[in-house]
């Protein structure tokens, strides 16, 4: 196997529920980290000036 390749198995992240399923412990940890980062970006972009901010019409 190529030394630059890392296989963490299958990883699924459901950001709406926070559920992470993975075939390895490393994959699970990666999924949890992805979930936290995505949620942080969604919160940040929902604030004034963010691209997800809804402006009343």
């Amino acid at each position: 196997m190529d030394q630059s390749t890392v296989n963490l198995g299958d990883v699924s992240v459901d950001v709406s529920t926070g559920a992470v399923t993975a075939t390895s412990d490393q994959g699970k940890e990666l999924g949890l980290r992805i979930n936290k980062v995505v949620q942080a970006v969604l919160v940040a972009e929902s604030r004034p000036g963010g691209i997800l901010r809804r402006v009343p019409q």
Side-chain angles (χ1 to χ4, degrees):
M1 181 185 276
D2 182 358
Q3 294 292 335
S4 64
T5 303
V6 177
N7 184 352
L8 298 175
D10 295 327
V11 180
S12 297
V13 180
D14 184 340
V15 178
S16 64
T17 64
V20 175
T21 54
T23 57
S24 71
D25 289 340
Q26 287 180 319
K28 177 98 175 170
E29 179 64 29
L30 175 64
L32 292 170
R33 288 180 183 207
I34 291 170
N35 187 38
K36 286 180 182 180
V37 170
V38 168
Q39 288 183 5
V41 169
L42 290 173
V43 168
E45 293 300 333
S46 296
R47 293 187 175 137
I51 62 173
L52 298 177
R53 179 71 175 179
R54 292 186 182 178
V55 179
Q57 295 181 351

